[in-house]
Amino acid sequence: MTAEVLVCPLCGEANGCSYAAGRPHSECWCNQAVFPKGVFDPIPAEQRRKSCICEACLDTYKKKAEQNKEPHS
């Protein structure tokens, strides 16, 4: 296993992936997370499914998506 699997492909920081770190997948933060449609779109195709995004990038995506839903005055 290479160190890249422990890095978020969006921000380059640690992704906190328990499975990639050698622990059971059941311990990973992503088991309780909801990944909205489109969250992986910014990842270049050749990098998809190579490493997990981090919780911070998931939260940022969700916040931006929610802001885009709000009506503008």
Side-chain angles (χ1 to χ4, degrees), residues 4-73:
E4 291 84 30
V5 298
L6 299 173
V7 175
C8 174
L10 296 175
C11 69
E13 297 296 324
N15 60 19
C17 180
S18 295
Y19 185 69
R23 296 189 307 275
H25 187 270
S26 60
E27 293 180 10
C28 199
W29 67 268
C30 70
N31 284 316
Q32 307 304 318
V34 175
F35 293 84
K37 184 176 181 177
V39 71
F40 302 111
D41 290 352
I43 302 170
E46 66 276 2
Q47 290 182 339
R48 289 185 192 155
R49 299 188 173 273
K50 304 268 194 255
S51 66
C52 300
I53 66 170
C54 68
E55 194 168 6
C57 284
L58 175 61
D59 289 343
T60 298
Y61 181 88
K62 287 180 177 180
K63 286 176 187 170
K64 286 181 183 178
E66 191 60 36
Q67 288 172 349
N68 290 337
K69 285 183 184 178
E70 293 177 6
H72 296 54
S73 24

